[in-house]
Amino acid sequence: AAPALPLLLLVAAAAAGRARAQCPPDGFASFEGLNLTEWAAAPWYSQAQMPLAYQPESDFFCVRASYVVLDESTVQVQNSAQRGDVNGTSTTPDEGPEAVIRAVIPDPARPSQLLVGPAFLPVEAYGDYWVVSAGAWPEDGDEDDPVVAAQPYEWGIVSGGPPTVETEDGCSAGSPGDFQPAGLWIFSREPVLDQERLEELFDLVEDLGFDTGVLQYVVQDGCEYPEVLPALEG
């Protein structure tokens, strides 16, 4: 009967580990004090993101997001990407109303919690899009540690709402291949971010409680991007 004791201890330890796991992590929240005007001041280039039903890994080329603030509760969103490779087929029109979608901010006091979807759908059908961290790089350039909340923003981390799904290595907002609510993105103002800095952002994402294993790299080298559109509504 003696060998059963270590087994019992292992089972108890595993159960304790499961009991300690909490998703979202204790104290998790969207980014406090987001400057929406600054967030929308220039395009964002995805460096790594979770594959989703509407954007599988085959579309992870030249992924860019641009924003136009229409008012305190409405933002125009222009997403673009290529399918297959950097010279592949565009996944969205380059111009016209179909080239943009809409983000709404239910509570202007929390601009980091957005809902995103096509303008023709009711807001109830939109997906969560939460900015969970944003900041800049050190001014001296000698360090690669991201400076949270520093402006102008040079990097940003977005989640498809709170990460409620428990994984082996953290928490996730949905699972790869899901539609919504789901997603995780690492954005940079630079199309091609230095690898050491990207690794620092991966570490920051882990510190926020996310499982970075759901992320896949996005190819930006060699990309050409469509013109950033002005406000088409509002």
Side-chain angles (χ1 to χ4, degrees):
L5 182 58
L7 178 60
L8 289 172
L9 291 174
L10 286 172
V11 170
R18 288 193 296 270
R20 287 195 300 270
Q22 180 175 333
C23 294
D26 186 38
F28 180 86
S30 62
F31 184 56
E32 192 71 29
L34 177 72
N35 182 337
L36 187 62
T37 301
E38 167 57 29
W39 178 265
W44 287 106
Y45 300 88
S46 178
Q47 305 300 305
Q49 62 187 74
M50 179 195 293
L52 297 170
Y54 58 85
Q55 192 168 34
E57 194 175 352
S58 58
D59 294 356
F60 283 13
F61 298 88
C62 312
V63 180
R64 188 191 70 181
S66 303
Y67 305 93
V68 178
V69 178
L70 302 177
D71 55 51
E72 68 173 5
S73 61
T74 314
V75 180
Q76 175 179 290
V77 182
Q78 178 189 1
N79 293 323
S80 60
Q82 301 297 112
R83 179 166 294 143
D85 60 50
V86 297
N87 297 311
T89 304
S90 177
T91 61
T92 56
D94 290 346
E95 58 185 6
E98 294 183 355
V100 299
I101 57 177
R102 179 184 296 168
V104 298
I105 303 169
D107 181 0
R110 296 180 180 273
S112 56
Q113 296 183 10
L114 301 94
L115 296 169
V116 179
F120 62 83
L121 289 179
V123 173
E124 292 76 15
Y126 286 15
D128 288 322
Y129 190 83
W130 284 21
V131 180
V132 295
S133 193
W137 300 106
E139 293 183 4
D140 58 18
D142 294 332
E143 299 290 338
D144 289 320
D145 292 340
V147 183
V148 176
Q151 298 184 39
Y153 298 143
E154 296 178 294
W155 55 265
I157 299 167
V158 174
S159 173
T164 59
V165 176
E166 181 183 346
T167 69
E168 291 185 1
D169 297 306
C171 300
S172 176
S175 300
D178 283 357
F179 185 65
Q180 63 184 33
L184 182 62
W185 294 263
I186 295 178
F187 285 118
S188 170
R189 294 293 198 200
E190 298 178 68
V192 181
L193 185 62
D194 175 81
Q195 184 62 33
E196 290 187 6
R197 288 188 165 181
L198 182 54
E199 290 174 2
E200 290 290 342
L201 291 180
F202 266 77
D203 290 343
L204 178 56
V205 172
E206 288 187 354
D207 290 343
L208 291 170
F210 289 94
D211 177 6
T212 57
V214 304
L215 294 170
Q216 300 293 331
Y217 290 108
V218 175
V219 177
Q220 298 285 1
D221 192 23
C223 289
E224 294 184 4
Y225 306 94
E227 180 182 356
V228 174
L229 297 174
L232 299 181
E233 60 171 308

